[in-house]
Amino acid sequence: MKKTTSDLGMNRTGIATSPVDSADIIQAAQKRQPSHLGDDSLILKVRQQYAVESDGIGSVPPPTSLKGSNSKPTVFIDKLGERAAFERSGVRLYQGALAKFEVLGSWEGGPTREGLTRILNDELSHFGLVSEVLTKLGADPTAMTPCADVAAVTSMGLPAVVSDPRMNLRDTLHALLVAELTDNAGWEMLIELSRGLGHDTLAERFQLALDAEAEHLTLVRNWLSAGVTLEARATPVPRAEAGPGLTPTV
Amino acid sequence: MALDIFKEKGVPLDRQVFTWKDLVRRPYSKLDDDAFTRVCVIYMNGIMADALRTKHAIARMNRDLREPLALVRRVEQHEQTLINWLNPPDQTPLETTLGFEQVAIEVTASVALREPDPYLAQTYRFGLLEDFDHLYRYGALYDRLEGKDPNSITQSYTDILAGRPTSVEHRNPLDDLRRPYDKRTAVPLTKLHAMSITAAENQTHDYYMTVGPFFSDPVARQLYAEIASIEEQHTSMYESLLDPDETVLEKLVMHECMQVYNFYSCLAYEKNPRIKEIWQRFTDYELGQLHHMIQLFQQVEGRDAAEILPKTLPDPIGFKEHREFVRKTLNQEEDLASNGPDYVRMADLPRDHRSFVYRDQLNSDGSPSETVAAGYQWTPGTELAARAQRMGSVLEGKKVH
């Protein structure tokens, strides 16, 4: 069994695995002309055509009451719905990370149980905070808003990495890093939006959440970085040479 | 040594048991395992899906067979699960699709080469060139949608080239039907081949119908719609090779024999011990199921199963590359079409032939398979690798090396 992600093994995905066969199929591919003229832009043209005909993925459920009647209230509800959903899914990500931590252990400078648990609890409380705000605004915190859906589609791979038992704690931290990066940007945007709509008190509460998220990001990045550095030190890897050597040879 | 299916009794049906943990095992590695390990997994999932499908269809029309079929079917359900769950979760539906087409090319090529009946062999070569084109179209989609190299899945075994263009494969339903083998004169290998390829193509159709809607790109959705339609044609074509006059029990016995043959073929190929052990176990399970079915056949029909079964199994299917054969077939038969059950040169059909009318209608709003692969030539590392190489490394408009 391989101990780390980057241990040498029998990876067969590159053309260098089978130089004779590869040379043969490359030659055949060069000899045979495509059946139709054009290039990769045709796919994009069809996509554009469908985009023009599309009417979006769905709508924001109408709130019963909302401050600031001269603005479009659904935008705020939509973004709040996105944050609530993201924080809720974040809890599941950290539960998965903790489960891996328990069975696989950590490394010097790596995640601790306390650290992971703290972030998990923060995500849970942020979910609670946004749900409470949604309720106060007369919106339904259980509804899946379009932005929540887009964010979930965007981050579809995150729970896939965390829940895959073949992917280790370092792989999981990579997924958490992606989550924290987008989470930080999400809170920043929500704070700007709140201020713009005159919800200053809300913006202040959201700022506390952003402060916590910024700490999460630092923690996760440092844990991951320590893990990668340590792994690189433990196993000598061939030095990559810059230049034409990167071009596949057959 | 060839397997004597009369002597080898396998594992009795009541000892073919599973647990959930047993069914959900460590999958093969998308990165490290050989492409033919994936080919076998995808292929055998198709074989077992057909075992269930065939028995369900028969159970819906036959009161007496319901109980014995239910018993075998439940085991087959779990065999199929164990096999299908060997596909790893980091293998996306599009990557699995590339695997499906590699199955359709390499397994059909092996079958076409060994098929003793020239008409059936012709039919396999005909279908082969169409699936060969599908790999190229999906390969272009994989490159152009996700920026990935389809050869990382097919591992330099299989050419990624245009075959008989998918856009001309659309035919009037009556031009997909073929003449069946004659159960009295066909050798067992002919029957095993026809059942195997029918099973594989039917599963390919079902897979595309399931995963097609998961794609967000409209061309990808269209391409799956288009190729699923061809797989439906292929299922119709291959199943029409089966003699409809075989009795139900004759079909059931041959189907079990076909399953034994295919597991035995995978067993002969596989090098990964974890997977090989599964092929051994299921060869033994299928032998048990075959004998269960033979007993039923002899009871009900009062005939000796040796009348229909081969004494020993034929040579295993060749899970290996067949590039030379496929290229030769492409060179000689790319322009074939069918007129009813007969093969003709496409140019010899009148312009108002029913299949042309049919295909022109379907393609009249654009052709997804032409759109996706317009100007596409497979290049190692994706077509972007060649483009990047031409560009070189550029920083703020200046070359950095």
Side-chain angles (χ1 to χ4, degrees), chain A residues 120-196:
Chain A
L120 185 151
N121 288 331
D122 282 350
E123 306 294 356
L124 191 59
S125 78
H126 295 167
F127 164 52
L129 164 68
V130 185
S131 298
E132 182 199 310
V133 171
L134 277 162
T135 307
K136 280 198 181 141
L137 292 171
D140 178 355
T142 67
M144 186 190 293
T145 69
C147 278
D149 192 32
V150 170
V153 171
T154 307
S155 54
M156 225 178 236
L158 303 182
V161 169
V162 172
S163 60
D164 191 331
R166 301 167 311 150
M167 299 197 185
N168 61 28
L169 187 56
R170 228 172 353 260
D171 302 327
T172 298
L173 282 171
H174 178 77
L176 297 178
L177 178 63
V178 173
E180 293 297 354
L181 282 165
T182 185
D183 207 9
N184 271 266
W187 280 107
E188 282 167 8
M189 220 177 286
L190 194 62
I191 291 165
E192 279 172 34
L193 188 62
S194 305
R195 291 206 194 283

Side-chain angles (χ1 to χ4, degrees), chain A residues 2 10-13 21-22 24-25 28-30 32 35-40 42 46-47 50 164 166 247, chain B residues 31-32 89-90 137 152 155-156 159 161-163 217-219 222 323 327 334 370 374-375 377 387 389:
Chain A
K2 284 203 270 182
M10 263 304 291
N11 184 311
R12 296 172 198 263
T13 55
D21 287 320
S22 297
D24 185 48
I25 63 166
Q30 284 166 349
R32 180 125 174 124
S35 59
H36 299 87
L37 296 174
D39 57 28
D40 52 5
L42 297 192
V46 175
R47 210 182 286 170
Y50 272 82
D164 191 331
R166 301 167 311 150
T247 312
Chain B
L31 307 180
D32 288 6
D90 54 333
R137 308 288 156 181
S152 67
Q155 298 177 0
S156 298
D159 278 322
L161 307 174
D217 178 74
V219 173
Q222 285 189 352
R323 290 197 299 275
R327 286 175 193 169
E334 182 191 340
E370 290 177 11
Q377 266 179 311
R387 225 176 275 179
Q389 207 177 350

Side-chain angles (χ1 to χ4, degrees), chain B residues 179-391:
Chain B
R179 281 187 289 274
Y181 61 72
D182 184 333
K183 67 167 186 168
R184 294 160 306 176
T185 53
V187 297
L189 182 61
T190 291
K191 299 177 186 179
L192 298 179
H193 278 164
M195 273 189 295
S196 300
I197 300 298
T198 302
E201 292 291 310
N202 207 333
Q203 181 56 26
T204 308
H205 165 265
D206 292 359
Y207 186 74
Y208 297 167
M209 292 299 284
T210 305
V211 303
F214 282 103
F215 287 82
S216 50
D217 178 74
V219 173
R221 293 171 80 87
Q222 285 189 352
L223 185 68
Y224 272 88
E226 183 182 10
I227 298 184
S229 175
I230 301 295
E231 303 304 348
E232 162 58 19
Q233 290 187 200
H234 284 181
T235 305
S236 302
M237 175 171 83
Y238 290 127
E239 79 182 4
S240 70
L241 296 173
L242 307 170
D243 187 338
D245 295 329
E246 285 167 324
T247 67
V248 164
L249 274 158
E250 217 172 322
K251 282 195 186 296
L252 286 168
V253 169
M254 284 311 291
H255 207 291
E256 292 303 333
C257 178
M258 177 274 271
Q259 294 168 55
V260 176
Y261 172 59
N262 282 304
F263 278 120
Y264 167 75
S265 297
C266 293
L267 179 62
Y269 153 75
E270 187 58 61
K271 286 163 203 79
N272 179 336
R274 234 165 24 83
I275 310 287
K276 195 178 180 77
E277 177 251 327
I278 296 167
W279 302 142
Q280 178 66 65
R281 175 178 168 191
F282 289 171
T283 302
D284 295 338
Y285 277 22
E286 289 303 332
L287 280 165
Q289 293 168 28
L290 172 65
H291 284 280
H292 171 85
M293 217 53 93
I294 287 175
Q295 229 176 4
L296 202 62
F297 172 80
Q298 293 181 336
Q299 252 170 31
V300 175
E301 299 211 353
R303 286 202 284 160
D304 185 353
E307 283 175 32
I308 55 167
L309 287 171
K311 168 128 182 54
T312 55
L313 284 183
D315 287 344
I317 285 172
F319 292 110
K320 61 183 185 65
E321 60 88 10
H322 296 86
R323 290 197 299 275
E324 200 187 321
F325 172 70
V326 177
R327 286 175 193 169
K328 190 176 137 217
T329 308
L330 183 63
N331 193 32
Q332 295 174 350
E333 301 182 4
E334 182 191 340
D335 65 335
L336 283 194
S338 60
N339 184 23
D342 299 313
Y343 294 104
V344 294
R345 295 284 163 198
M346 211 175 279
D348 292 341
L349 288 177
R351 194 57 207 107
D352 61 351
H353 189 268
R354 60 189 175 191
S355 274
F356 291 155
V357 173
Y358 170 84
R359 113 186 161 195
D360 290 348
Q361 159 61 36
L362 267 172
N363 289 333
S364 60
D365 229 359
S367 159
S369 56
E370 290 177 11
T371 300
V372 76
Y376 183 74
Q377 266 179 311
W378 172 75
T379 313
T382 78
E383 61 182 359
L384 296 179
R387 225 176 275 179
Q389 207 177 350
R390 280 197 300 276
M391 180 189 267

